[in-house]
Amino acid sequence: MTGVKKWALDMACVPWQATILTLFPTMFPGPLGQSLAGRALKNGIWSCQVEDLRPYGLGSHRAVDDAPFGGGAGMVMRPDVVDAALKAIPVKKGVSRIYLTPRGRPLLQQDIQHYAHSAGVVLLCGRFEGVDERVLEAYNLEQVSIGDYVLSGGEVAAFVLLDACIRLLPGVIGCEQSSVEESFSKGLLEYPHYTRPAQWEGRDVPEVLLSGNHAAIAAWRQAQAEAVTKQRRPDLWSAWVERSKK
Ligand code: SAM
């Protein structure tokens, strides 16, 4: 049995599991309850377990944070609170446990493909100044950033990671080919798209796309993908050129 077929078979029995640890549980599934991801959720292609961190807090106020040792601005999420929540959630084999943080390695499409082919993800959403380092070390959590900017909490980053994974699960996108031929899949940005009308406000669709010549269309699209990558993403372009030499 091929890897892809076995994956599809596994997926048919057990939904891909998203477990989210958050102080704002009502934010989920949020936008992931709509459109493709929402339909996939209803159809049991993925499951959404939300673990509220607040009940693990301490004292009558269920405190989850405290002042940083060494002084400085803001509050830090306590390690004992996060530990109690992580202990309470059942972790299936093959599930990646991830702390979303601007201090993490950048999230790439290849990571998304890896997570989408696994059993699921556990996502720890930080708030305040973040989470005490010791609990991140103790659980050896992967630390992942969705970009070089600072959000107010990990929940929006969780939506980003989950949305990108869910659309790759078998049966979510109608045409599986669209996730094979898209930006990053082969290391380049995608070529531009056009649809009807063929002429719009004095702008014509490139002639070659109307030619019916599939080889010429493929060559044009490849050239466009290379040109836009070279112009907008010199980092991706250099890697592409290096790979092409091998
Ligand atoms: N003090 C932290 C720093 O400077 O690295 C920023 C903390 S931020 C205000 C609060 C939480 O938002 C973080 O713990 C993290 O979970 C989430 N977050 C913020 N920016 C993020 C990003 N770029 N990628 C992933 N998560 C992010």
Side-chain angles (χ1 to χ4, degrees):
M1 194 184 298
T2 67
V4 172
K5 277 194 190 141
K6 186 178 173 306
W7 177 35
L9 207 66
D10 290 348
M11 290 302 305
C13 313
V14 188
W16 188 82
Q17 199 177 72
T19 305
I20 303 122
L21 285 83
T22 171
L23 282 166
F24 297 94
T26 57
M27 284 175 82
F28 292 90
L32 301 175
Q34 306 287 318
S35 186
L36 288 177
R39 208 171 319 128
L41 185 59
K42 280 197 195 92
N43 292 341
I45 294 176
W46 69 288
S47 69
C48 186
Q49 268 106 51
V50 186
E51 192 70 17
D52 185 359
L53 290 168
R54 184 60 66 184
Y56 298 97
L58 307 173
S60 55
H61 290 104
R62 296 276 170 234
V64 296
D65 57 323
D66 213 325
F69 281 122
M75 301 293 271
V76 178
M77 289 172 74
R78 293 176 59 112
D80 45 0
V81 171
V82 173
D83 173 44
L86 281 168
K87 273 202 185 104
I89 53 165
V91 179
K92 272 196 330 196
K93 214 171 147 237
V95 167
S96 302
R97 291 189 297 184
I98 301 163
Y99 170 49
L100 296 153
T101 166
R103 298 179 67 238
R105 66 176 159 76
L107 180 65
L108 302 178
Q109 186 65 14
Q110 66 211 44
D111 303 313
I112 295 296
Q113 282 177 355
H114 167 75
Y115 299 141
H117 279 83
S118 74
V121 289
V122 171
L123 302 177
L124 171 60
C125 301
R127 282 275 159 174
F128 320 115
E129 291 306 318
V131 175
D132 185 291
E133 193 68 18
R134 291 165 296 177
V135 70
L136 305 175
E137 284 170 11
Y139 281 85
N140 196 21
L141 298 185
E142 282 185 45
Q143 298 197 36
V144 169
S145 165
I146 65 154
D148 290 351
Y149 37 78
V150 179
L151 305 167
S152 50
E155 290 77 10
V156 170
F159 289 136
V160 169
L161 188 149
L162 292 174
D163 180 274
C165 289
I166 292 161
R167 64 188 290 281
L168 296 187
L169 301 178
V172 175
I173 297 184
C175 175
E176 306 285 327
Q177 192 60 18
S178 39
S179 63
V180 175
E181 258 194 41
E182 63 183 359
S183 294
F184 314 115
S185 59
K186 293 183 188 127
L188 296 174
L189 302 179
E190 201 183 42
Y191 48 80
H193 296 282
Y194 300 88
T195 186
R196 291 190 183 87
Q199 287 181 327
W200 175 76
E201 309 240 331
R203 293 166 190 265
D204 293 340
V205 166
E207 194 69 38
V208 65
L209 298 179
L210 308 174
S211 69
N213 180 337
H214 296 295
I217 292 170
W220 180 85
R221 285 179 166 168
Q222 178 66 22
Q224 290 287 318
E226 291 181 14
V228 74
T229 307
K230 190 172 177 181
Q231 184 199 24
R232 294 183 188 167
R233 292 293 300 271
D235 55 329
L236 293 181
W237 178 247
S238 309
W240 168 263
V241 170
E242 277 311 306
R243 270 202 308 280
S244 312
K245 284 184 195 157
K246 288 177 190 156

